[in-house]
Structures are given as structure tokens and as C-alpha cells.
Amino acid sequence: MAATASFDPQSVLKLDGYLEPFIPAIAHRHERFQKWKDTIDRCEGGYEKFTRGFDKMGFNVKESGEVVYREWAPNVTEAHLIGDFNQWNRMSHPLKKNEFGVWEITLPPSAPGVCAIRHDSKVKISMITSTGARIERIPAWIQRVTQDLAFSPAYEGRFWNPPTSERYQFKNSRPPQPRAIRIYEAHVGISTSEHRVGTYKEFTKDTLPRIHALGYNTIQLMAIMEHPYYASFGYQVTSFFAASSRYGTPEELRELVDTAHGMGITVLLDVVHSHACKNVLDGLNAFDGSDHQYFHEGSKGRHELWDSRLFNYGSHEVLRFLLSNLRFYIEEYKFDGFRFDGVTSMMYVHHGMGTGFSGGYPEYFGSGADEEAIVYLMLANDAMHALYPSVITIAEDVSGMPLLCIPVSQGGIGFDYRLSMAIPDMWIKLLKHKTDDEWDMGDIVHTLTDRRYGEKSVAYAESHDQALVGDKTLAFWLMDKEMYTHMSDLTPMTPIIARGLSLHKMIRLLVHSLGGEGYLNFEGNEFGHPEWLDFPREGNNNSFQHARRQWNIVDDQHLRYRYLNNFDAAINHLEEEHKWLSAPQAYVSLKHGGDKMIAYERSGLLFVFNFHPTKSFTDYRVGVDEAGEYHIILTSDEKKFGGFENVSCGGKFTTTSMEWNGRKNWLQIYIPSRTCVVLGK
């Protein structure tokens, strides 16, 4: 069989010999992947045609002004297109059904080159189900939906076909794929300091320059796919091909992405293919009146915890819909890749609920694995990388699934990166449950370096998950209520603020330089944004107080937030210069529990951290492999970073040729309490 011939088990065993007992399971899922790929090649003309479902389905306008509308709805016996264009007449525009359950209608132009459906007018499909019931839905492939909360929380479908003069024309080419990704995770809606929803236009004008100045080379945009409930953070999607209208128009999103490209910034979409909103009137649920069109029927098609529907990844038309959805955002909006949400939920039949992953391999390849969903992820990664070699895909997985970030051709699932989700959990646990002198340097280093060989990870100290209501940002855990009273340079530097600023900087540099092959920061956390994130909802009287970013506090030159912002930028720019994220994993020569010291080398640099709450060390001996003269090129103790200037850049240190901590040479440095330094030659 071709599938087996194309998969070489040795490519897996070279990475991890412990996978040998599970080669049959890995080979089996690869065979299922290959069968789907062969079917797509044979029946659909390969990935190229299959992933362009948006050219056939939904609304397509020809140069003549003719409109062709197609919809997959196998369970209905009648279908009519209705909308403003025909005064919502349920009989005037019937669709015809083909043998695959796809309904179609062609609307001739009202005049040469003029569509019969006016741009931005409302449309729906009215259908009669097999039981005789009339149902009306928003077209599944619709590219714009709007919501008028004064009238109804339900969305309304819009026919988006702006005249050429109003279409955004892309000006910039995509930047090359980054050597290593430094991600700024952002949400357009919260990117204003005002008590309202921010816009694409404002993000382009005000937030992009901040991201660029900080030295991030990648943006990960959250909550773009349309979702009716703002407080869902974008994770209850109803219209998959519609960019959220609460921030503006599709053209304004195109401008945002294009402007980022002009700055050399890669733009990723936070894509939600793990589940869908259960809404019926404006979602995919019961679209054709059945329980099983896009989703599995019964309990298998429902996520109890998320109260949402689960896709049937074994359906030909569902695969067309989801794979085309990915390509649509690359083609139409010029996104450069995706962060796949909820990958753990997808890959296991238990969805990760009530399951702790111990790392035992039977957990990954036994009966708990959802092979159907895993094969979809393999198809998605294989297709996008085949069509767009520079595409970037990131998996949100907490389970530690082996081979997740290995190419499909080598038996993997095909992602480029995985999120190192254990790292932020570790910091929160330390700050909540341990005093500073209880921190175990060995445990910290282990969590930061414990990643699968040959698979790239994105490290982060905190993301949006840690900022959500019910939790707090690292800065707020560190400094809490004193952030309200003592973050001004005009007030004394209290012990709590001094500790908070120091540890915030140290944690971020440690994670950035030791934790992975990519780095992620959530919007605002770079400067220690206070409090938490909470969207307007009934429980908080629909307040925007915590659903915004307080840029004013980092721009105020009297407030200490700017010190953290400056240090974050310095880390990113230093990484760009010395390229540690794309270097081999660091060699850790020191993790001293009593001294609270960590030292390691990566990319020719020597990183030294003193986490001790009270002890400073003079002439502290640190091992280093390469002999020569070293200089301090970054220290958290500089005044511009809110430090005390006990250590400054430029100091020279010459190595002594004697083995120390497993390294060929050593040097001695002064390292104050709660300070980190980076030395380079």
C-alpha cells in the first residue's frame, strides 16, 4: 500500500526510541491520512482545488455581475434564497439540489456588470427540512455578518461585494518566514484604552507601531472569526469565513495585515477548528435541520464543558469547509499562518477533561486518542505547508503529544511549534504557593527545558489565559494593590515594588532565552499591565473597565511601567542580534538551590540569574566553555529598566582556563540579589 511505503518508522525512532511499541498506531493514523489525501487527489484535483471551496460555495460574483450561490444542505427538500434584494420573498428564488446535497442558484445581473444583490444588503437561505419544517439560516460560507444588539443578539448575513474603488489593494509583500518567532498575542477589541470595543483602524494606527518598536516580529490575532458573545474571547465561532464586524470591515482588516507586513511583521490567526458555537439561528448547528451535518450527532458531537458542537472530521464536506477556511484567510486577508486553538480537546476522545497527562505513551496512542481529529490536523498541516511553504502553524496542546511538531511525511502531525503551556502554570504556582526562598532552581530549569527532542516550542511566562478574570497577571501577583499607589517615580520604591519589578524582568528573560525556540507575550503584559481581563457581561454590569489596555500608564514618564516596557524591548532586540531562539538548546551549568543561582550558555552568550531574595555575590564563579574576554551586554539592574545601577553594561571579565561546573573555563562576576546579566564576547 502506498501509505505504508511513504512512511518510514526509522524517521520516528531516530527522534524517540521509546516510540517503538507504538509504531503500529503511528503507521495506522498515517495510513488514514494517506487515504484521505489520495481521495482528495483522485476526486477533487488535489489540495489546490479542494482547499478553494470558497470559489464554489457561498456567494461568488462573476465579472458580468452574475451571482452564483451554493450551499451544502443534504437534509432539506426545498431551498430559497431570500433577502433585501427580493423583499424576503420565500418563493421567488428557488435553488436546485445536486446528487451531493449541494443547492445552487444563479442570479443574472440586474444591468451589465451590476449584481442583482446590492453590496452589504442582508441575505438568508430559507429551507424546508425532511420533516416539512421551514428553517432559515445565515449562509455557512458568508463573509460578513453584523449584529445589532439593540434589536437582537443574533447575527444577520451580509452580501459583501464592495465596488473596486472601495476594495483594499494590498501594497506590501509577505515578509520572509521569521528565523524564530517573537509573538505579540493581541486582541483588536481590547486594544483601546477607552471603555468600548477597539477597531481594526485603531489597531493599525496605534498598536502596530508599539509592537514594532518592542521588537516583536510576529502578531497572533485573537477573536477574528465571528463570534456572537464578545466575552467568549472569540472561542464560540458562528460564521467561520466572516471576520468579526464589531471591529470594522473586511477591508480594514486587510489594511491591518498589510500594514504589519510593511513593518516586516508576520501575522498569525488564532483559528478555532476544535469546536463551534451551538447557536442555530446564526451558526452551523442544525444548519439543515439535522443534528449531524457539520458535527457528530448525539453526545459525541457535544463538548460538555464548553457547551459547544464538535466537528465530524471524517466527513468529506466538513474537511472541504475547514481546509478551505484556512486557505481563505491566507488568500483573502494574507495571514501568514495559524495558532490552532484547543488541539488537546481535538486529539482525545475525552477532550482532556478530567484527565491528567503523566507523559506515559499509552495515553497518546491508546483508545483515548481521537484518530479522526488527529488525521484532520495532519491534513491541515500537510495541505497548508504544501501550498504555502513559509506558513507557520502552532498547536495549543497541554498533553505533550509526541510527534506533534514533526512533518507529516515523517510520521508526525505537522505543526511547526507547540505552546509550552507548563511554563506559565509553573510561575503562577510559585507566586501563589511558595515564598521566594522556597523556589527550587532545579525544578524551574527542568520545566523550562523539558521539551521533546526535534520539536520546536513557543515559551511564554503568561498569555491571555493567565490574565482572564479569576486569575491575575504576573505583575499583579507580584505587586498587587501597591500597583495603585507606588508605581510612580514620585513615590518611594517600596520592597514589594522593587521585588515585583526585579522578578518580572528576570522571569521574562529566563523564559525568553531558556524556554524554547519561540517566545510569546500577551498584549500589555510586557509593561506589567495591572489587574486582570474581563469582558463586558451581565455579571459585571457590562463594564469595559477590564476589557481594554491602559496604554496611558506605560506612556506616562513618571510611572515605573515604562521600565518593564524598556526591558522587554531590550530582550527582543538583543535576541534579534544574537539569535538565541534559533540556536541549539542552552547548556545549563549551574542551578544552585542554596544560592538561588542559574547560569547557562546559549548562542555564544552567558546568562546569569540571582534569584536570592537577600544575598548578593561578589566574585561569583561561573563556568563557561569558550575562553576569552566577556562583557556585560544586558543587565536588569540598569536605571532605564528600574534597576539600582549596582551592575552596569560594559564591564569586562576574562576567563580562567580551569574546569568549572562541567565547562572548560570560568569567570567571576558581581551579581546582586534579584538581578540577571547577559555576557557576550
Side-chain angles (χ1 to χ4, degrees):
M1 174 181 269
T4 342
S6 67
F7 168 65
D8 179 11
Q10 289 305 313
S11 62
V12 168
L13 296 177
K14 283 177 186 175
L15 289 165
D16 188 348
Y18 289 106
L19 286 171
E20 186 169 12
F22 307 98
I23 288 295
I26 296 167
H28 185 260
R29 76 183 186 194
H30 196 274
E31 284 178 21
R32 288 187 65 173
F33 154 78
Q34 192 64 48
K35 283 179 182 176
W36 266 119
K37 189 174 181 181
D38 290 346
T39 299
I40 291 168
D41 286 342
R42 185 177 67 255
C43 303
E44 299 282 356
Y47 286 148
E48 169 58 35
K49 291 184 179 178
F50 189 59
T51 60
R52 295 192 67 95
F54 48 87
D55 286 341
K56 292 283 186 184
M57 305 299 291
F59 291 97
N60 280 279
V61 182
K62 299 186 177 179
E63 284 187 21
S64 64
E66 182 179 87
V67 178
V68 180
Y69 169 60
R70 295 185 183 92
E71 196 72 70
W72 177 55
N75 189 51
V76 303
T77 57
E78 285 183 38
H80 292 80
L81 184 62
I82 60 175
D84 292 337
F85 76 99
N86 67 358
Q87 292 77 52
W88 301 91
N89 186 322
R90 290 192 174 99
M91 301 304 294
S92 61
H93 288 77
L95 283 74
K96 290 183 179 179
K97 185 180 185 181
N98 70 12
E99 67 271 31
F100 302 110
V102 176
W103 295 82
E104 179 178 337
I105 185 174
T106 299
L107 286 76
S110 57
V114 180
C115 285
I117 308 176
R118 182 171 46 85
H119 165 59
D120 209 23
S121 62
K122 297 174 187 176
V123 288
K124 267 189 175 181
I125 180 170
S126 182
M127 299 174 282
I128 304 295
T129 70
S130 55
T131 62
R134 180 176 291 279
I135 56 174
E136 290 175 352
R137 303 285 187 260
I138 293 176
W141 297 69
I142 197 85
Q143 296 179 18
R144 181 160 174 81
V145 293
T146 58
Q147 185 184 47
D148 183 355
L149 286 172
F151 172 68
S152 165
Y155 273 88
E156 297 177 306
R158 300 272 183 171
F159 177 72
W160 191 254
N161 182 40
T164 305
S165 61
E166 294 177 21
R167 292 179 187 270
Y168 184 78
Q169 302 298 318
F170 288 95
K171 304 174 181 65
N172 301 298
S173 56
R174 297 180 191 274
Q177 186 185 70
R179 164 189 53 81
I181 50 177
R182 301 185 298 270
I183 303 171
Y184 196 87
E185 184 185 38
H187 183 291
V188 171
I190 69 165
S191 296
T192 175
S193 57
E194 298 180 25
H195 290 249
R196 58 175 176 79
V197 178
T199 68
Y200 296 128
K201 279 282 191 186
E202 291 167 335
F203 191 95
T204 302
K205 175 178 171 287
D206 301 326
T207 310
L208 283 181
R210 291 182 184 273
I211 298 169
H212 185 243
L214 283 165
Y216 289 94
N217 60 16
T218 305
I219 299 171
Q220 181 179 298
L221 282 181
M222 308 177 64
I224 294 297
M225 301 162 81
E226 194 58 274
H227 49 290
Y229 185 42
Y230 189 43
S232 75
F233 224 140
Y235 294 125
Q236 292 276 344
V237 176
T238 43
S239 293
F240 284 74
F241 289 83
S244 183
S245 59
R246 56 171 57 86
Y247 318 127
T249 69
E251 309 313 310
E252 289 162 353
L253 176 57
R254 290 181 172 98
E255 181 185 28
L256 187 164
V257 175
D258 191 38
T259 305
H261 285 167
M263 297 176 174
I265 298 173
T266 293
V267 187
L268 307 181
L269 176 71
D270 195 356
V271 71
V272 186
H273 282 182
S274 48
H275 64 132
C277 179
K278 70 174 185 179
N279 283 15
V280 172
L281 294 179
D282 54 5
L284 292 178
N285 191 17
F287 184 86
D288 67 354
S290 71
D291 190 44
H292 58 270
Q293 184 187 357
Y294 284 95
F295 312 108
H296 285 292
E297 62 184 331
S299 60
K300 188 178 180 181
R302 286 167 173 79
H303 197 294
E304 293 177 16
L305 193 64
W306 295 343
D307 194 25
S308 54
R309 296 303 312 267
L310 299 172
F311 285 106
N312 177 4
Y313 303 107
S315 160
H316 193 101
E317 290 304 322
V318 171
L319 288 181
R320 186 196 309 277
F321 183 85
L322 294 175
L323 293 175
S324 296
N325 190 230
L326 297 174
R327 191 167 188 188
F328 173 80
Y329 282 101
I330 294 177
E331 287 285 329
E332 292 296 317
Y333 290 102
K334 307 301 180 189
F335 279 94
D336 303 296
F338 307 96
R339 177 261 199 191
F340 280 72
D341 172 70
V343 167
T344 304
S345 174
M346 296 174 71
M347 293 194 300
Y348 304 96
V349 293
H350 50 67
H351 310 301
M353 294 187 294
T355 304
F357 290 95
S358 66
Y361 282 15
E363 297 171 345
Y364 305 121
F365 302 104
S367 58
D370 189 333
E371 204 172 68
E372 194 175 79
I374 292 170
V375 167
Y376 164 66
L377 292 172
M378 294 168 72
L379 286 164
N381 279 302
D382 191 58
M384 293 306 109
H385 284 93
L387 294 165
Y388 308 99
S390 64
V391 78
I392 296 169
T393 60
I394 303 171
E396 186 210 28
D397 170 45
V398 73
S399 75
M401 169 69 81
L403 308 176
L404 186 65
C405 301
I406 298 299
V408 175
S409 60
Q410 296 173 33
I413 298 176
F415 286 98
D416 295 296
Y417 295 87
R418 72 195 320 147
L419 293 177
S420 292
M421 301 179 74
I423 296 175
D425 289 346
M426 172 192 71
W427 292 118
I428 294 296
K429 286 174 185 173
L430 284 176
L431 294 172
K432 284 173 77 170
H433 304 299
K434 303 273 188 182
T435 60
D436 292 5
D437 57 5
E438 291 176 324
W439 288 20
D440 187 312
M441 299 297 105
D443 285 351
I444 291 171
V445 168
H446 174 75
T447 301
L448 286 164
T449 56
D450 184 25
R451 46 193 189 267
R452 295 201 177 278
Y453 175 73
E455 301 190 43
K456 292 190 289 188
S457 295
V458 175
Y460 57 107
E462 53 185 334
S463 72
H464 70 273
D465 287 323
Q466 285 70 42
L468 287 171
V469 65
D471 214 328
K472 295 187 286 193
T473 62
L474 284 184
F476 212 54
W477 277 114
L478 288 163
M479 296 176 276
D480 210 73
K481 61 181 183 293
E482 287 208 11
M483 295 186 83
Y484 299 122
T485 56
H486 288 84
M487 282 299 275
S488 169
D489 278 331
L490 306 178
T491 61
M493 175 78 84
T494 66
I496 286 176
I497 295 298
R499 170 184 177 267
L501 294 179
S502 297
L503 289 179
H504 193 275
K505 291 178 289 184
M506 294 178 72
I507 287 169
R508 296 175 80 79
L509 177 60
L510 183 68
V511 172
H512 202 306
S513 55
L514 186 61
E517 293 71 36
Y519 178 76
L520 179 143
N521 164 69
F522 177 65
E523 181 175 19
N525 289 346
E526 68 275 8
F527 62 82
H529 200 288
E531 302 180 321
W532 54 87
L533 194 60
D534 189 14
F535 287 87
R537 55 189 172 84
E538 192 175 327
N540 64 14
N541 295 317
N542 291 310
S543 170
F544 280 88
Q545 175 62 27
H546 296 109
R548 60 198 182 101
R549 297 288 86 178
Q550 299 177 50
W551 303 115
N552 53 298
I553 63 176
V554 70
D555 293 340
D556 189 325
Q557 293 306 297
H558 294 297
L559 296 183
R560 292 174 171 136
Y561 295 98
R562 73 188 191 281
Y563 298 140
L564 302 179
N565 199 70
N566 292 343
F567 192 66
D568 197 71
I571 296 172
N572 282 324
H573 290 298
L574 193 65
E575 195 287 325
E576 181 61 30
E577 182 181 351
H578 291 278
K579 303 175 174 50
W580 63 68
L581 286 172
S582 53
Q585 190 161 317
Y587 183 91
V588 182
S589 61
L590 178 68
K591 38 192 175 182
H592 196 290
D595 293 346
K596 303 297 179 195
M597 292 286 295
I598 296 173
Y600 53 88
E601 297 147 85
R602 192 176 187 187
S603 197
L605 302 179
L606 175 62
F607 297 82
V608 184
F609 294 78
N610 178 5
F611 278 99
H612 203 287
T614 58
K615 283 186 182 179
S616 298
F617 299 101
T618 305
D619 296 332
Y620 197 92
R621 188 173 291 188
V622 181
V624 62
D625 216 41
E626 195 171 321
E629 188 175 87
Y630 285 78
H631 309 79
I632 293 177
I633 57 175
L634 179 67
T635 168
S636 61
D637 203 37
E638 281 195 75
K639 188 173 183 179
K640 65 183 177 181
F641 304 141
F644 298 99
E645 294 194 294
N646 292 315
V647 178
S648 56
C649 283
K652 295 180 182 179
F653 305 87
T654 305
T655 59
T656 297
S657 180
M658 181 189 296
E659 187 175 335
W660 188 259
N661 287 341
R663 310 311 275 159
K664 296 174 185 174
N665 306 278
W666 56 259
L667 49 78
Q668 294 185 156
I669 63 169
Y670 170 55
I671 182 78
S673 165
R674 291 190 181 128
T675 300
C676 52
V677 297
V678 183
L679 298 97
K681 294 185 74 175

